[in-house]
Amino acid sequence: MALFEKLKGEFYDELKDRNVNILQKEKEPHLFSWREKDCMFHYDGYFTEDARYLPNNEEYNYSSRLTLGSIIRGVVGNKIHFYLDFRNTLIKGEKGLKKNYNPSKGLPITVAGSNVYSDQAIAYFVYRFPWGEFSIGRDSFDWGPGYRGGLALSKNSQPIDMFKFQLEFKRFKFTSMSGFLNSALGRKNISAHRIEVRILPNPVSYTHLRAH
């Protein structure tokens, strides 16, 4: 039961208008938070360090990744939602990393002496209406045959600039997205459409995906 109360606290913003009783001490904490009527704003910091000692013959090689960032999200009038997540990572001890500004080869990498830096940003706006939503910005996409599979589009790929349109009516949901891919061969476009019908407990869907 205690874990369930913590889970409800993590989703306080989504559950506060659904008559769900949430303990004050379990509400999701933020570095800075502001609420007024139908508006909400949260700011949080992000810090992780991944340090590893790998054996190499009789020695140990040390490598680390130190990531700092900020997450900003909010709601205006219960219709406009926004999200911003930007992070910078300092990489030490990893061999073979070179300066990279080619999006087809992953995240941008900057080399400054013995230090290597990499950054990533996600930012998007969502406008919600009674029967669907429209979003625009940079984000990752995850589509596959189920909720845990991403065979069509996976979040393992880098975030892309895109816009998405989604309609929902009873047991039906239609989603259409268009995005822009940057590569060494020039700019490409990706478009995908999906129809979901909830007949059984799990939905049945059809997905069409095209890159051009």
Side-chain angles (χ1 to χ4, degrees), residues 123-177:
Y124 56 83
F125 287 88
V126 179
Y127 180 81
R128 292 180 177 171
F129 39 90
W131 36 273
E133 66 181 37
F134 174 79
S135 61
I136 185 171
R138 172 175 290 245
D139 195 12
S140 299
F141 220 68
D142 194 10
W143 268 0
Y147 290 109
R148 298 186 181 182
L151 295 180
L153 292 170
S154 171
K155 286 190 175 181
N156 291 327
S157 301
Q158 303 304 326
I160 63 173
D161 298 327
M162 67 177 179
F163 57 89
K164 182 180 67 171
F165 183 67
Q166 183 172 291
L167 297 175
E168 292 189 50
F169 179 73
K170 294 184 178 180
R171 295 178 177 268
F172 297 88
K173 179 164 51 170
F174 171 76
T175 305
S176 177
M177 66 83 67

Side-chain angles (χ1 to χ4, degrees), residues 13 27-33 35 41-44 73:
D13 291 318
K27 292 180 181 179
E28 182 183 12
H30 302 281
L31 285 180
F32 175 79
S33 184
R35 289 186 179 91
F41 175 87
H42 296 315
Y43 172 81
D44 294 290
R73 60 188 175 95

Side-chain angles (χ1 to χ4, degrees), residues 50-198:
D50 180 7
R52 302 183 182 185
Y53 286 91
L54 301 177
N56 181 16
N57 296 327
E58 297 181 355
E59 298 180 353
Y60 282 87
N61 292 330
Y62 171 78
S63 65
S64 67
R65 290 192 172 216
L66 174 65
T67 301
L68 299 173
S70 296
I71 299 175
I72 299 172
R73 60 188 175 95
V75 179
V76 179
N78 284 333
K79 291 184 177 181
I80 301 175
H81 300 245
F82 59 90
Y83 180 87
L84 173 63
D85 182 342
F86 52 94
R87 306 178 184 188
N88 185 275
T89 301
L90 169 62
I91 306 171
K92 285 181 171 291
E94 295 187 18
K95 299 180 180 180
L97 294 177
K98 298 180 180 179
K99 182 173 63 175
N100 173 51
Y101 298 108
N102 184 345
S104 65
K105 296 182 179 180
L107 293 173
I109 293 177
T110 302
V111 179
S114 61
N115 295 331
V116 178
Y117 299 92
S118 178
D119 59 76
Q120 183 180 40
I122 295 176
Y124 56 83
F125 287 88
V126 179
Y127 180 81
R128 292 180 177 171
F129 39 90
W131 36 273
E133 66 181 37
F134 174 79
S135 61
I136 185 171
R138 172 175 290 245
D139 195 12
S140 299
F141 220 68
D142 194 10
W143 268 0
Y147 290 109
R148 298 186 181 182
L151 295 180
L153 292 170
S154 171
K155 286 190 175 181
N156 291 327
S157 301
Q158 303 304 326
I160 63 173
D161 298 327
M162 67 177 179
F163 57 89
K164 182 180 67 171
F165 183 67
Q166 183 172 291
L167 297 175
E168 292 189 50
F169 179 73
K170 294 184 178 180
R171 295 178 177 268
F172 297 88
K173 179 164 51 170
F174 171 76
T175 305
S176 177
M177 66 83 67
S178 294
F180 308 98
L181 306 175
N182 294 319
S183 72
L185 301 177
R187 189 158 187 165
K188 302 292 184 179
N189 299 323
I190 183 172
S191 58
H193 314 283
R194 181 169 183 157
I195 299 176
E196 297 181 39
V197 182
R198 185 175 292 277

Side-chain angles (χ1 to χ4, degrees), residues 12-59:
Y12 168 76
D13 291 318
E14 291 79 8
L15 298 175
K16 61 183 178 62
D17 296 326
R18 298 178 181 269
N19 296 321
V20 177
N21 184 32
I22 300 176
L23 300 177
Q24 180 67 30
K25 66 177 183 178
E26 301 296 353
K27 292 180 181 179
E28 182 183 12
H30 302 281
L31 285 180
F32 175 79
S33 184
W34 172 81
R35 289 186 179 91
E36 183 175 343
K37 294 183 179 179
D38 295 334
C39 299
M40 174 268 290
F41 175 87
H42 296 315
Y43 172 81
D44 294 290
Y46 184 90
F47 168 82
T48 63
E49 183 171 12
D50 180 7
R52 302 183 182 185
Y53 286 91
L54 301 177
N56 181 16
N57 296 327
E58 297 181 355
E59 298 180 353

